[in-house]
Amino acid sequence: REAISPSVSQNQSSQCLPDRRIFRPLHAAIARQTGCKTHSNHRTMPLPTYDPADYPVQLAAKAARFEQNFAEFGVTKPTVHASEPLHYRMRVEFGIWHDGDKLDFTMSDPDNPKQRLLLDTFPPAAAVICAAMPRLRERLAGSDVLRRRLFRVDFLATLSGELMITLIYHRKLDDAWQTAARELAAEFGAQIIGRSRGQKVVLERDWLLEAFELNGRPLKYQQVEGSFTQPNGGINRQMLGWACQQAAGIGGNLVELYCGNGNFTIALAPLFDRVLATEVSKTSVHAAQYNIAANGVTNIQLARMSAEEFSAALAGREQFQRLKDIDLDAFRHGTLFVDPPRAGLDDATVELARDFDRILYISCNQETLKNNVAALHDTHRIASAAVFDQFPYTHHLECGVLLVRR
């Protein structure tokens, strides 16, 4: 569901990195620079810019495109939720470029994926990640045990200030690596994970605990390394707030598909009598179970199954042992919440959605959202719409609509 992925697995040939480009901090004073210094035998190339001064205009243009795209469904003036202009990404992945005893973080040039950019920092990343990047680079470069055959580094941060660093290698990790990694973890106050093919080394724990307030209510979320979490923490809070606003006063029961770690489930549960949430990923289901208990929510039933399986079960086409203790009839015709992958809802799930009086739909792909809204247009209308800028400075836009039965 990422809009862009800066991760790269490095093959260190001149063909892989034909031009060395240093990506330097882009504060407003220097954001409009058009090039950067390279080695003398390489040309100067354009520098990506993340200029907060340009952000309002860019967001307004994206929101206008959404409004135009959904005008045929009666959408006018959707609510626009802006991101912080810098330091908004809570998870990022970087390749590692080795040059003798030195190393650099790298990402792909969005305009030329085969071109690698060398990074001193990455302005979209959370401040705690940006602060760690130069320190970590120097620390890794100074340790043969930590540097050797390292090819990728993943960062995960939380609004509550926790940090996880995953180091990924083309070699088996031994006791010497664990000793060096423990020192690194203590120095950075971070969770350190080591990975190689068929191997995962967890020194303390492989998850972070996100914590924030939503409408005066404290929420906690376990975020597991390698599993999906919302990349823009500030925008996630705004999406949760919007969803709760749309659900306020509805009551009854809620069905949620693609619940992940319970991000929306936990926030929405107090607004409904009972909640039935489904998710196919085992890791996400375990995190959701943890989060349900950690937040003291007692009206959620969780089933590990795909949206397609649940559609078949609710339609009576199939029976599943996982649902034997759940009264499915109690969840018919109420409210459905969906936050699907970029592909949107398949035909069977669209037909399942048609039976609900209200559909709260969060989408990371407005084209598949538009297709699904069009398919439901004969039975449901858009009562509310909003856009959420998960990825500033890109064309991607998260969308939310409340569909109600005609």
Side-chain angles (χ1 to χ4, degrees), residues 39 57 59 139 156 216 230 254 274 289 307 319 329 367 391 405:
H39 284 189
V57 174
L59 176 56
R139 184 68 171 76
L156 176 64
Q230 296 288 344
L254 173 70
R274 296 168 61 190
Q289 291 168 334
Q319 293 184 342
D329 288 337
E367 294 307 317
F391 299 99
R405 186 175 299 282

Side-chain angles (χ1 to χ4, degrees), residues 12-239:
Q12 292 184 276
S13 67
S14 59
Q15 292 178 344
C16 182
L17 191 64
D19 293 281
R20 288 180 60 86
R21 189 180 348 173
I22 308 300
F23 184 92
R24 302 212 177 275
L26 296 178
H27 303 297
I30 63 170
R32 291 187 177 85
Q33 292 179 357
T34 58
C36 59
K37 195 169 184 179
T38 65
H39 284 189
S40 59
N41 60 332
H42 297 302
R43 69 182 186 274
T44 298
M45 300 176 64
L47 187 69
T49 60
Y50 296 91
D51 187 352
D54 294 336
Y55 177 59
V57 174
Q58 294 176 357
L59 176 56
K62 289 201 286 188
R65 285 194 295 271
F66 172 84
E67 184 175 357
Q68 181 180 13
N69 203 19
F70 284 79
E72 64 185 279
F73 304 113
V75 172
T76 59
K77 297 182 179 179
T79 307
V80 178
H81 296 265
S83 171
E84 291 294 330
L86 295 174
H87 305 309
Y88 48 85
R89 286 195 61 146
M90 310 310 292
R91 54 185 173 91
V92 289
E93 305 168 355
F94 300 119
I96 293 294
W97 181 262
H98 295 262
D99 185 4
D101 290 338
K102 299 179 181 179
L103 56 80
D104 283 290
F105 297 109
T106 74
M107 66 178 289
S108 301
D109 183 342
D111 297 325
N112 180 12
K114 293 184 179 180
Q115 172 67 46
R116 306 299 182 226
L117 313 180
L118 305 184
L119 295 91
D120 286 336
T121 188
F122 186 57
V128 65
I129 296 175
C130 286
M133 287 176 64
R135 292 175 54 213
L136 182 64
R137 179 180 60 187
E138 297 307 311
R139 184 68 171 76
L140 294 174
S143 170
D144 178 70
V145 172
L146 295 174
R147 181 185 70 243
R148 183 163 48 89
R149 303 204 70 185
L150 174 69
F151 75 94
R152 199 176 98 185
V153 175
D154 296 353
F155 291 92
L156 176 64
T158 66
L159 295 172
S160 54
E162 294 194 359
L163 178 66
M164 179 183 293
I165 303 171
T166 302
L167 307 175
I168 306 175
Y169 293 84
H170 284 311
R171 68 177 178 91
K172 183 175 175 62
L173 303 178
D174 54 17
D175 291 343
W177 181 89
Q178 290 198 41
T179 299
R182 290 187 186 281
E183 294 174 358
L184 187 69
E187 182 179 334
F188 279 77
Q191 301 299 323
I192 302 294
I193 307 294
R195 281 188 175 273
S196 65
R197 184 182 294 274
Q199 184 183 25
K200 177 180 177 180
V201 179
V202 179
L203 302 182
E204 183 181 347
R205 53 184 165 94
D206 66 346
W207 52 272
L208 302 180
L209 189 64
E210 178 63 286
F212 55 81
E213 280 197 0
L214 182 70
N215 300 326
R217 178 184 169 214
L219 297 178
K220 302 175 184 177
Y221 292 98
Q222 183 187 71
Q223 298 185 346
V224 180
E225 185 264 347
S227 65
F228 176 78
T229 55
Q230 296 288 344
N232 188 321
I235 285 293
N236 180 52
R237 288 180 67 185
Q238 294 187 54
M239 291 196 301

